[in-house]
Amino acid sequence: MGKIGYVTWGNAAQVRSFQDFAHLLDDMLYLRELDRHDLGAYAAIIIPDVMDCVELRAHARQLNDYVRNGGFLIVFSIRDIENIIDVVDLKWQPVNARDWLWWTRPNPYLEVRQPEPRHPICDAISLADMSWHWMGALEKHPDAEHILTLDDDSLSLFMDFRNLQGGGRLMVTTLDPHGHNGERFMPATTRFLEAFYPWLNRELGIDRERKTLNLTYLRALDSTWDWEPPGLAETFEATGITLRYHGLYDLDETVLRESDFIYIPNNTDEIFLRSRAADFLAFLERGGHLILSSQPAIAWLPFMSTFRTVAPRPFTNLKVRVRQDPLGFFSNVSDEFDGWQGIFGQYARGWTDMPEGAIWLTDIGPADDPKPADWLWKYPTSDDKGGYLVMHNGDSIVRYPDHGQHGPCLLRDICNGIVAARGTTPKPERPSYPNLSWVMCDCHRPQRFTAAAR
């Protein structure tokens, strides 16, 4: 499968936009280290707007060589672009929107159009979602397909050069969606990117939907319930998730690489787990998901704490209550799921501290002092591609519920919930404005403030 590289100089808006669409991108490439990367390994390279153009110019030869060697380079609004890109002759003109506040007028109009015949990308991105403003314009080029132009057809704002010498391709635009999306205003820019990145993946023939996923159950204790739990395999039938058992002490890089989920049951060797902590962290960092049934005596991962119990009297302290369930883990369990054969305390008897940013899933302990029996955490990485960690502070997840039509379904439902969440990111909130279907801000013109205004 082809890969898409996204270049950033570290600007927060650029990084945040990458995080928003990380499920449709592959690698975030730091501009100051670009020469360490083989750009030829990528089917497309994105140069987003809000870029450090001085540093970008230092890598101009590498970027132009990438196109000359058959690469697909996509450049958003970049100052001095005509002196950075030389695979085609670009000429920039300092022409901007006539009225930066056009959208506030009684009959709002922005002087742009999608010329005929329309470029195929226009089937994915409407004219409205290409309309906010632009940062200069480009003289029309005879070898380009023009995606967006001024309404008088005099200058171009978005061009596509196909089949350049060496088989390369260049898209260049003076639109600046990444900065505005990353700064969380101008909803049209967000909608532009929401359509652009799926289009790009389709254009490159990249299918990011995995047909099957692998769950590795790490065997440690040779017992009926821990070695191969009865009924567990049946719950994964027709889910698209393949369950396989593997010995804990035989854990190697191949198993880690081929696993999408790893489940570690409660009865396990924490001293051995501590010795492999770096491997589990690398697994999480590259997007693997770790599901733990654990009452740890050893904090074998750096963000983990040791297990503490709640007072067992009154018995209601041991009643597990679902606090929040954003991924639907507990959708198939009843209120009695924690009372295995009528015995409170089998599902959980205590808690561990949560790392910053974790989601508190279930309560245990007294109502006026609850503790987290289960929590969910997304491993933090700069590119937002870290995997999920589910921490269940108690007995085996596999045994709950132990009866009813869903049987031992909880592990399956945790995996299904994570699968449903993969490839989705929270969208920036779009404020509601009366009488306007979409809203821009005049952010580029210099503002003068008096002391009183400050």
Side-chain angles (χ1 to χ4, degrees):
M1 184 178 78
K3 297 199 303 179
I4 301 173
Y6 177 100
V7 178
T8 179
W9 71 282
N11 171 276
Q14 282 184 350
V15 173
R16 194 172 292 117
S17 286
F18 178 89
Q19 292 171 346
D20 287 342
F21 300 98
H23 58 290
L24 296 170
L25 297 163
D26 293 285
D27 298 326
M28 188 166 68
L29 311 178
Y30 182 40
L31 178 60
R32 293 174 63 86
E33 298 174 351
L34 195 62
D35 54 1
R36 303 181 188 179
H37 296 279
D38 175 14
L39 300 187
Y42 296 94
I45 294 290
I46 304 292
I47 308 295
D49 45 284
V50 206
M51 184 61 74
D52 176 357
C53 299
V54 174
E55 184 66 28
L56 186 68
R57 195 179 300 113
H59 299 278
R61 180 174 180 179
Q62 184 183 11
L63 294 169
N64 285 287
D65 285 349
Y66 167 72
V67 179
R68 289 190 172 95
N69 291 325
F72 183 7
L73 183 66
I74 302 164
V75 183
F76 287 85
S77 178
I78 300 295
R79 184 172 56 84
D80 204 31
I81 186 63
E82 68 275 22
N83 293 317
I84 296 174
I85 297 300
D86 63 21
V87 289
V88 296
D89 185 19
L90 298 175
K91 291 183 172 60
W92 182 87
Q93 296 292 336
V95 176
N96 293 311
R98 287 194 291 264
D99 181 1
W100 290 84
L101 295 176
W102 64 271
W103 47 274
T104 66
R105 308 308 180 198
N107 297 303
Y109 179 74
L110 185 67
E111 61 275 17
V112 294
R113 73 185 189 100
Q114 293 175 339
E116 298 290 345
R118 295 198 319 157
H119 188 282
I121 199 174
C122 298
D123 294 332
I125 311 177
S126 69
L127 177 61
D129 293 344
M130 291 186 184
S131 301
W132 55 93
H133 59 229
W134 55 90
M135 307 308 295
L138 296 165
E139 293 185 11
K140 297 186 72 176
H141 195 289
D143 297 333
E145 296 177 60
H146 298 281
I147 300 168
L148 186 70
T149 65
L150 298 185
D151 60 359
D152 64 3
D153 207 34
S154 60
L155 294 168
S156 187
L157 308 176
F158 198 171
M159 295 190 285
D160 185 7
F161 296 86
R162 300 175 188 260
N163 300 316
L164 295 173
Q165 185 176 2
R169 183 175 178 182
L170 172 71
M171 265 187 159
V172 59
T173 178
T174 58
L175 300 178
D176 56 350
H178 296 88
H180 294 305
N181 169 75
E183 291 171 350
R184 297 304 191 239
F185 68 101
M186 291 193 184
T189 64
T190 298
R191 296 197 302 270
F192 177 97
L193 295 176
E194 287 173 343
F196 174 78
Y197 282 114
W199 172 84
L200 179 60
N201 278 263
R202 293 192 300 271
E203 185 76 357
L204 297 172
I206 297 175
D207 181 2
R208 296 185 183 273
E209 293 298 320
R210 289 279 299 276
K211 306 308 179 189
T212 60
L213 300 170
N214 295 319
L215 165 64
T216 298
Y217 182 114
L218 287 182
R219 287 170 161 164
L221 181 67
D222 187 1
S223 71
T224 301
W225 284 104
D226 291 292
W227 193 255
E228 192 166 329
L232 179 61
E234 287 79 359
T235 68
F236 283 92
E237 292 177 357
T239 63
I241 300 172
T242 300
L243 170 66
R244 57 185 182 182
Y245 295 94
H246 194 84
L248 174 67
Y249 301 116
D250 295 326
L251 181 65
D252 58 21
E253 178 55 35
T254 299
V255 173
L256 290 164
R257 185 176 62 252
E258 294 178 352
S259 299
D260 298 283
F261 302 89
I262 292 177
Y263 172 68
I264 302 178
N266 183 41
N267 290 308
T268 192
D269 180 349
E270 293 183 347
I271 295 173
F272 177 79
L273 292 176
R274 181 173 59 186
S275 73
R276 303 297 300 273
D279 294 323
F280 288 114
L281 293 176
F283 173 73
L284 287 166
E285 184 172 11
R286 65 175 176 253
H289 310 296
L290 195 58
I291 304 170
L292 307 178
S293 282
S294 186
Q295 298 165 309
I298 297 172
W300 54 271
L301 288 173
F303 47 79
M304 188 181 285
S305 69
T306 54
F307 178 76
R308 288 171 285 176
T309 60
V310 298
R313 297 290 191 277
F315 286 136
T316 52
N317 284 357
L318 300 176
K319 173 69 175 174
V320 176
R321 293 90 68 189
V322 177
R323 171 181 285 240
Q324 57 182 324
D325 189 18
L327 302 188
F329 294 168
F330 300 99
S331 58
N332 285 318
V333 297
S334 68
D335 290 341
E336 292 75 38
F337 76 99
D338 57 340
W340 179 72
Q341 294 186 356
I343 303 173
F344 278 140
Q346 283 292 306
Y347 181 78
R349 293 172 288 278
W351 85 99
T352 56
D353 294 328
M354 300 185 297
E356 183 179 356
I359 298 173
W360 185 332
L361 299 176
T362 64
D363 292 348
I364 194 168
D368 61 353
D369 187 23
K371 304 298 182 184
D374 299 273
W375 46 264
L376 169 70
W377 187 52
K378 195 171 191 298
Y379 188 77
T381 61
S382 61
D383 60 8
D384 203 41
K385 288 192 175 238
Y388 286 103
L389 183 139
V390 179
M391 184 70 177
H392 165 60
N393 296 283
D395 208 336
S396 171
I397 286 175
V398 173
R399 300 174 74 177
Y400 302 94
D402 66 307
H403 59 280
Q405 63 174 325
H406 295 290
C409 71
L410 189 50
L411 180 58
R412 177 203 69 193
D413 290 347
I414 289 172
C415 293
N416 281 340
I418 291 173
V419 169
R422 292 173 76 237
T424 61
T425 55
K427 298 297 186 292
E429 293 185 4
R430 295 176 182 169
S432 175
Y433 295 86
N435 303 320
L436 290 175
S437 60
W438 40 294
V439 177
M440 318 303 167
C441 292
D442 180 12
C443 67
H444 289 294
R445 291 186 299 176
Q447 306 266 342
R448 293 185 179 181
F449 299 94
T450 64
R454 294 193 188 94

